[in-house]
Amino acid sequence: MNNFKDWAKTPPLGWNSWDCFGAAVNEKQLKENAEYMAKNLKDYGWEYVVCDIQWYEPNAKDNDYNNFSPLEMDEYGRLIPAPNRFPSSKGGKGFKPIADYIHSLGLKFGIHIMRGVPRQAAAQDCKILGSYSTCRDIAHHFSVCSWNTDMYGVKNCEAAQEYYNSIINMYAEWGVDFIKCDDICVTEFRRWDNPYTADYEIEMLRRAIDNCGREIVLSLSPGPALRNQADHLCKNANMWRLTGDFWDQWGKLYEMFDKCKEWEGVGSKGNYPDCDMLPLGRLSKNGTCHGPQNRMTQFTKPEQYTLMTLWGIFKSPLMFGGNLPENDDFTLFLLTNRKYLEMHQKSFGAKEIFRDSKTVIWASNGKKCKYLAVFNTDSKKRRVTADITDVLMADESYSSYEIWSAEEKTVKNKIRCEIEPHGAKLYLIK
């Protein structure tokens, strides 16, 4: 098989169920979003349909976690889809029928998992498939998630690797193309004074995926990941989160300028620092979460331009969070702008070239062109002047194309523009 970095040669584009359905997504909703993507987005490069957390919990109903709730599990301690929510999984079929359906649409299928082994499997002392050990043997009872009670971390031992092999092989048989592993990419994940940190679990995942016979893209959550561990992340994962959960609030968006600057220059083919999902469109359908239930995004249109522009020039993976069938025309426009997507997929060398208290400017390179992203972080509309001699020769005339408005003009040395509060302009210059 190829090196895992070849499995994601450009930043992944997809949809994830968390922002709109929380822990309670079901089979019907997965298929409806897949069908929308196939009809409206596939031709633009969007391809992943990802089922987020708690798909194995029959009682999940909103964005909250039910502590110590019974989980659906096979005899080997491997979590399986709850059949009341995913009817096609009955009879031991798992996610294979859904994956087959999504593949039939020309798309790819992904799932969310938690680090480690189910506490329920340890309590029942389930045998590990292909091992003489049990789930109780590998459970590290002091390695637990602070926000979810489903799992124990595992000990650094051969049997734990055998358990990871068993679940990844099952996912490969289902036809899974993308795994988002949670509770594994956190600030303390490389504390060498503690032998039971998550770094070796990342490496176990890597080995299991590399030997499962299927190309599966690996995403690590949540953040913040440590910048000084970028080499370890690049050796083991395709993408990793820079922050905790990102939601539709200006304060969280403003903080991402710092995070992108911190990780500037790290991304390359197959390795992508991840700014998290796009909380756009219809959100929080099953309960209040960082805003009212069943809302359209709280971001203003200018803020949505800023979000898309920063994620795009930084080359973060794009995982849309809203319920796709309820997209309005503006949201669909953001996801199908070909000039924007070409920049996101093909540009390189992105860097921040200017920042003060009200303005941020990023630049990157394209094929025979430059890209310039100009952000107004002020709460008032402003005229902004961007010096382009930092990236282009002075006193030469260039054609500039503003990607969101399609406005074209000739520029020399500087670009002058008026930008709405918290808004952005994105220029293709050649």
Side-chain angles (χ1 to χ4, degrees):
M1 297 182 69
N2 296 329
N3 183 294
F4 76 89
K5 297 181 184 182
D6 292 329
W7 306 344
K9 293 181 179 179
T10 57
L13 300 170
W15 172 84
N16 179 292
S17 62
W18 173 251
D19 285 355
C20 49
F21 298 114
V25 68
N26 61 39
E27 180 167 345
K28 179 175 180 291
Q29 292 158 347
L30 283 181
K31 288 182 174 179
E32 287 173 348
N33 277 272
E35 289 159 1
Y36 179 97
M37 182 180 290
K39 180 180 178 181
N40 298 284
L41 300 176
K42 184 176 70 171
D43 289 345
Y44 297 86
W46 296 83
E47 59 180 344
Y48 290 98
V49 176
V50 182
C51 179
D52 210 271
I53 195 168
Q54 304 303 119
W55 41 265
Y56 38 79
E57 184 192 343
N59 299 322
K61 61 182 184 302
D62 51 31
N63 291 73
D64 294 327
Y65 305 118
N66 300 316
N67 291 340
F68 305 106
S69 179
L71 309 177
E72 294 289 337
M73 190 175 72
D74 72 6
E75 61 184 305
Y76 299 109
R78 301 180 299 180
L79 297 172
I80 57 177
N84 64 318
R85 294 168 53 198
F86 304 96
S88 68
S89 71
K90 292 177 181 177
K93 297 184 181 71
F95 271 129
K96 189 174 189 329
I98 291 178
D100 287 348
Y101 179 72
I102 288 173
H103 293 155
S104 77
L105 300 174
L107 304 174
K108 296 180 179 180
F109 176 61
I111 60 172
H112 172 288
I113 66 172
M114 294 289 290
R115 171 179 70 94
V117 62
R119 296 191 191 195
Q120 182 175 299
Q124 296 179 16
D125 204 24
C126 295
K127 176 179 170 58
I128 297 171
L129 182 65
S131 173
Y132 292 107
S133 300
T134 69
C135 292
R136 185 177 296 170
D137 295 331
I138 66 172
H140 190 286
H141 301 90
F142 295 104
S143 178
V144 296
C145 178
S146 63
W147 44 267
N148 183 287
T149 60
D150 292 342
M151 313 291 280
Y152 287 123
V154 295
K155 298 172 184 176
N156 191 0
C157 61
E158 181 179 354
Q161 181 68 67
E162 290 169 336
Y163 178 77
Y164 270 117
N165 293 346
S166 75
I167 63 170
I168 297 300
N169 288 338
M170 179 176 68
Y171 303 152
E173 291 170 3
W174 288 349
V176 169
D177 306 294
F178 182 102
I179 290 174
K180 173 185 174 182
C181 185
D182 217 333
D183 190 41
I184 202 166
C185 183
V186 289
T187 300
E188 65 270 22
F189 92 104
R190 293 284 282 182
R191 283 182 54 201
W192 292 108
D193 59 327
N194 180 349
Y196 295 110
T197 50
D199 62 320
Y200 62 76
E201 295 200 58
I202 294 173
E203 293 162 14
M204 287 179 179
L205 270 170
R206 177 75 272 140
R207 287 191 289 268
I209 292 172
D210 287 346
N211 290 294
C212 77
R214 187 173 182 83
E215 297 181 0
I216 301 176
V217 170
L218 178 59
S219 167
L220 304 180
S221 290
L226 284 178
R227 174 62 178 80
N228 62 8
Q229 298 304 332
D231 288 346
H232 182 263
L233 292 162
C234 287
K235 289 176 182 176
N236 290 284
N238 296 107
M239 46 192 278
W240 53 89
R241 284 268 296 280
L242 306 188
T243 67
D245 284 2
F246 177 79
W247 280 96
D248 49 332
Q249 299 164 337
W250 169 248
K252 288 184 176 290
L253 179 51
Y254 185 72
E255 290 171 0
M256 291 308 301
F257 288 107
D258 291 333
K259 282 297 175 182
C260 290
K261 176 60 179 175
E262 179 184 356
W263 286 85
E264 179 184 298
V266 173
S268 60
K269 186 186 80 170
N271 292 137
Y272 307 105
D274 178 13
C275 296
D276 199 15
M277 291 187 293
L278 306 172
L280 303 176
R282 178 68 63 178
L283 306 173
S284 297
K285 291 180 68 65
N286 292 324
T288 59
C289 191
H290 298 274
Q293 181 176 353
N294 198 22
R295 67 182 182 274
M296 292 298 284
T297 184
Q298 297 171 122
F299 283 135
T300 65
K301 284 187 176 181
E303 288 167 352
Q304 292 179 63
Y305 284 133
T306 289
L307 169 60
M308 294 296 292
T309 299
L310 182 59
W311 267 234
I313 201 163
F314 182 70
K315 292 179 72 72
S316 170
L318 301 180
M319 288 289 168
F320 187 80
N323 187 34
L324 288 172
E326 296 183 78
N327 277 355
D328 57 18
D329 290 342
F330 179 71
T331 306
L332 182 59
F333 162 74
L334 292 176
L335 304 182
T336 56
N337 186 305
R338 291 196 185 276
K339 296 285 188 185
Y340 169 83
L341 292 168
E342 182 177 11
M343 177 197 71
H344 175 257
Q345 297 284 287
K346 297 181 179 180
S347 64
F348 59 94
K351 62 181 180 179
E352 181 187 280
I353 62 171
F354 177 83
R355 185 170 181 179
D356 65 16
S357 62
K358 297 180 179 180
T359 306
V360 182
I361 302 175
W362 277 69
S364 69
N365 305 296
K367 186 177 181 180
K368 298 182 180 179
C369 70
K370 299 284 185 178
Y371 295 100
L372 197 73
V374 186
F375 303 93
N376 173 22
T377 60
D378 198 5
S379 58
K380 299 177 181 177
K381 182 187 237 183
R382 295 173 50 240
R383 289 194 63 80
V384 179
T385 299
D387 187 345
I388 63 174
T389 60
D390 291 331
V391 294
L392 292 164
M393 292 182 61
D395 298 323
E396 295 284 339
S397 293
Y398 297 94
S399 170
S400 77
Y401 177 88
E402 205 287 307
I403 285 175
W404 299 121
S405 65
E407 179 183 359
E408 295 185 73
K409 61 183 178 181
T410 301
V411 297
K412 182 188 291 188
N413 297 335
K414 300 180 186 298
I415 288 180
R416 296 176 176 85
C417 52
E418 189 170 71
I419 307 179
E420 296 293 323
H422 300 171
K425 298 287 187 179
L426 179 57
Y427 294 97
L428 186 163
I429 306 172
K430 58 184 178 179

